[in-house]
Amino acid sequence: MNLCYDYAGQTVLVTGAAQGIGREICRRFCAAGARVIAADIDAATLAETVAACGGQCEARRLDVTDRAAVHALIAATGAVDVLVHSAGGVCGQAGRPLEIITEADWRRIFAVNTDGAFWCAQAVAPGMKAKGRGRIVLISSGAGLGVSLTGIQAYAAAKAAEIALARQLGHELGPFGITVNSVAPGFIRSNPSTERQWQAMGEAGQARLMDTIALRRPGEPADIAHAVLFFASAEAGWISGQVLSVDGGK
């Protein structure tokens, strides 16, 4: 339940909504009364998000790397009150020596993480400016503040760029009543990719990871969703350009 937040009458767009963190964010906003647009490139799995939201959200297939598609979705949806860019990830890649990384590998991760964040913010900004208010929340990563557990150079760099983008856009859009912030999750067991990472660590590796976390547990999608709903709320109206680490304590 969302006891503190009421988003009735607001339209919330969540990218990367087909699973894990994005799905939980959709579920929480629906529970708080928002009209939720759940967007993801994986149209089939989006149906599971709709079911998790009790049929209350609207599923839209979207490739966030396609600028024209992003702008077309916003044109069809209408003005958005809250944008949560949760799309991203490692695009199926694993850590490898930098000498063998191809241009396509590098650019693909930047396209879905950083480029996607920019295209989405660019598309929703005019409607938010017209209203004189808005909230943009970018889901970055602890990898953008430190070192990536995956060892993927492009992922760490792209997430650092998202954090810098939130800071820059917060400064640019503040005069229009729009806040822009970033949530940087620690290790979250949220989807098949992170489950594979968790299992690949083995018991010893899992124990070592838990020893680095003050609360001695991996995160859950709900931990991130709580932070997002706060940043999107009226209570966070004088917070912008910030990054909040939600990592169990380091």
Side-chain angles (χ1 to χ4, degrees):
M1 295 181 65
N2 297 305
L3 299 179
C4 299
Y5 303 121
D6 180 4
Y7 290 98
Q10 295 193 43
T11 297
V12 179
L13 170 63
V14 181
T15 69
Q19 59 183 335
I21 292 171
R23 178 180 294 170
E24 183 64 13
I25 291 168
C26 288
R27 198 178 72 81
R28 298 280 173 160
F29 273 114
C30 281
R35 174 199 178 198
V36 176
I37 311 298
D40 201 287
I41 197 169
D42 185 354
T45 313
L46 268 176
E48 298 176 16
T49 295
V50 174
C53 294
Q56 296 180 58
C57 67
E58 304 171 29
R60 299 287 187 273
R61 187 185 183 281
L62 178 67
D63 179 355
V64 298
T65 71
D66 184 339
R67 179 182 183 273
V70 171
H71 281 259
L73 174 62
I74 300 305
T77 298
V80 170
D81 298 285
V82 179
L83 163 67
V84 183
H85 179 67
S86 183
V90 300
C91 302
Q93 297 184 37
R96 292 167 293 162
L98 66 88
E99 295 92 335
I100 64 173
I101 305 301
T102 68
E103 181 178 353
D105 290 338
W106 176 267
R107 295 196 181 280
R108 187 179 180 200
I109 287 179
F110 264 85
V112 69
N113 289 279
T114 314
D115 295 357
F118 185 79
W119 302 143
C120 289
Q122 184 182 64
V124 303
M128 290 182 175
K129 286 181 177 181
K131 285 189 172 188
R133 59 182 172 81
R135 298 283 189 269
I136 296 174
V137 184
L138 307 181
I139 306 300
S140 56
S141 171
L145 293 168
V147 176
S148 173
L149 290 174
T150 66
I152 300 172
Q153 304 89 348
Y155 182 71
K159 288 304 186 182
E162 274 192 70
I163 291 168
L165 180 63
R167 193 160 48 240
Q168 180 66 29
L169 294 184
H171 181 80
E172 178 178 338
L173 298 177
F176 301 95
I178 302 166
T179 67
V180 188
N181 292 290
S182 173
V183 176
F187 186 76
I188 309 291
R189 296 179 65 180
S190 61
N191 55 41
S193 178
T194 54
E195 280 301 310
R196 286 193 294 272
Q197 292 173 25
W198 176 253
Q199 297 304 326
M201 292 178 193
E203 291 187 5
Q206 292 167 6
R208 284 194 298 272
L209 175 61
M210 291 305 99
D211 283 343
T212 69
I213 300 173
L215 292 176
R216 297 297 192 269
R217 70 166 176 86
E220 300 173 356
D223 295 315
I224 308 307
H226 291 314
V228 170
L229 263 70
F230 168 68
F231 270 144
S233 71
E235 287 83 351
W238 209 51
I239 302 173
S240 196
Q242 301 302 307
V243 55
L244 175 61
S245 294
V246 183
D247 57 11
K250 292 292 187 179

